Amino acid sequence: MKKNLPDLEDTNYKIIQVKALLKYVSNDLANLSDAVENGDNDGVLVQASFMNDRAFFTFRTALDLIEEIQKDVEACTAPIEEVKTHADNQ
């Protein structure tokens, strides 16, 4: 069972990468988020047009890393559920 678990050091590094990527584009994200929250459709369009390819690729990379982190977490919780189920059946 242990050999199927992800390397938590690698998972932690992915988390650090996501934080750095989001910090890199935080102003773009904050401005876009403000426009969305205010229901300002024109503002959303303006903010999105100001964002260059760098921002979009950065967001895409962060989302890919978040998906990988989610898979790592799910891989860790599966054995916990297995042990819990086994203990409940005792």
Side-chain angles (χ1 to χ4, degrees):
M1 182 185 325
K2 185 175 183 198
K3 62 183 168 180
N4 294 333
L5 294 177
D7 179 2
L8 294 181
E9 192 171 312
D10 183 49
T11 303
N12 188 51
Y13 181 68
K14 291 175 192 172
I15 292 168
I16 292 168
Q17 285 178 305
V18 168
K19 288 172 63 175
L21 288 167
L22 292 179
K23 185 175 182 180
Y24 181 66
V25 292
S26 63
N27 287 337
D28 293 334
L29 186 58
N31 292 338
L32 183 60
S33 177
D34 288 344
V36 170
E37 287 177 9
N38 293 330
D40 180 7
N41 292 336
D42 292 333
V44 170
L45 182 62
V46 168
Q47 291 303 326
S49 67
F50 285 148
M51 296 170 71
N52 59 19
D53 289 344
R54 168 198 55 85
F56 286 109
F57 288 128
T58 302
F59 292 141
R60 182 70 250 166
T61 302
L63 288 173
D64 289 344
L65 285 166
I66 290 168
E67 287 176 5
E68 289 180 27
I69 293 165
Q70 182 179 5
K71 288 176 187 175
D72 291 350
V73 170
E74 289 170 356
C76 289
T77 58
I80 294 169
E81 290 299 319
E82 195 176 304
V83 169
K84 183 180 176 201
T85 302
H86 180 70
D88 289 345
N89 291 333
Q90 295 295 328

